Amino acid sequence: MFNKEELENLKLKLEKLEKKDIDLIISDFDDTIFCRNEQLEDSELLRNNRWEAWNEKILNEIWLEKYWNKYYKNKKIPKSIVSQLRKWHDVIITAWNEKLQNCKLTHTWLIHHNYIVVNNAEDKIIESIKYIINTLKFLPNKVTVYEDRPKYFIEYKDFISDFLWIPVDIMYVEMKDNFNEPKITKIS
């Protein structure tokens, strides 16, 4: 998962960073900030085609404009996580198709926040580290991660914390819809 040479280069940059008394939030998007249950209930095509197949169906059968108009444009978003995100500081790290994720962020008015689109969920770990070192260019006091599928953050929590010399809290997010605030539980 991690390129040894890349980690060594990051470690060299890390040693030069100032530590600031500021916390960092890293949040997923799908089913963490914005719930997709309406889409799953409404569309058999989407319900029966998950992950990469989901993206293919949206891009090639439903069509992107129809999809975001129906499911994202002018939709309500729970505020518990979004209200904490600071522009140009905190980051949304989301996975799968970049074109599709950009549209989702645009139509939920979150495009103005820092965000990264990765190919798969496991890549969120290294991208989080790179974001802190290469983009923030300082070490936060603490990192808080919001995720509906926190498997990799749990698996690599100690690695992230040891590598960056900072504590990491992982918050498990459960959404039932976009009208109610999600249930957020600290799991690690």
Side-chain angles (χ1 to χ4, degrees):
M1 173 180 158
F2 301 121
N3 175 310
K4 188 176 179 176
E5 185 177 323
E6 182 178 36
L7 284 177
E8 287 175 14
N9 288 335
L10 289 170
K11 193 67 150 172
L12 290 173
K13 291 180 182 180
L14 176 68
E15 292 170 2
K16 298 174 186 173
L17 295 182
E18 172 187 358
K19 189 162 188 167
K20 293 188 178 182
D21 190 20
I22 298 173
D23 294 347
L24 173 69
I25 295 172
I26 297 172
S27 180
D28 180 43
F29 179 78
D30 292 315
D31 297 319
T32 300
I33 290 177
F34 189 91
C35 185
R36 295 181 298 168
N37 285 345
E38 175 189 4
Q39 298 165 43
L40 293 170
E41 292 169 7
D42 186 53
S43 173
E44 185 176 343
L45 183 68
L46 293 176
R47 191 171 42 254
N48 293 332
N49 292 281
R50 301 302 305 266
W51 312 118
E52 197 57 42
W54 169 289
N55 296 331
E56 290 299 317
K57 296 298 179 187
I58 292 168
L59 295 172
N60 299 318
E61 291 183 37
I62 298 173
W63 304 108
L64 191 53
E65 185 173 355
K66 182 179 175 187
Y67 173 75
W68 57 255
N69 270 330
K70 183 170 185 173
Y71 296 116
Y72 288 91
K73 192 171 183 180
N74 300 320
K75 294 288 183 167
K76 179 177 171 48
I77 303 175
K79 300 293 182 210
S80 54
I81 297 170
V82 172
S83 66
Q84 296 180 67
L85 296 176
R86 293 156 291 185
K87 288 183 183 179
W88 322 123
H89 179 78
D90 298 314
V91 65
I92 298 167
I93 302 181
T94 185
W96 304 108
N97 183 285
E98 188 169 6
K99 183 176 182 180
L100 181 56
Q101 294 305 93
N102 285 341
C103 281
K104 291 176 185 181
L105 290 164
T106 297
H107 292 287
T108 54
W109 302 100
L110 294 171
I111 197 74
H112 301 295
H113 288 279
N114 288 339
Y115 70 94
I116 300 167
V117 179
V118 296
N119 291 327
N120 60 64
E122 194 173 17
D123 290 343
K124 291 179 180 183
I125 305 308
I126 191 67
E127 290 302 321
S128 296
I129 292 169
K130 287 167 50 176
Y131 177 79
I132 291 168
I133 295 170
N134 295 329
T135 303
L136 279 186
K137 297 183 181 181
F138 68 84
L139 286 173
N141 198 42
K142 175 177 97 172
V143 171
T144 302
V145 176
Y146 290 93
E147 263 284 357
D148 67 306
R149 291 183 189 90
K151 172 186 173 185
Y152 296 112
F153 279 102
I154 293 168
E155 184 178 339
Y156 291 103
K157 176 186 176 181
D158 290 339
F159 172 79
I160 298 167
S161 184
D162 292 345
F163 189 85
L164 296 171
W165 314 316
I166 55 177
V168 176
D169 288 340
I170 301 171
M171 311 302 278
Y172 174 58
V173 179
E174 296 174 90
M175 297 188 84
K176 66 178 189 174
D177 57 39
N178 287 314
F179 301 102
N180 295 290
E181 294 301 320
K183 179 181 177 190
I184 300 173
T185 309
K186 182 177 178 180
I187 58 169
S188 180

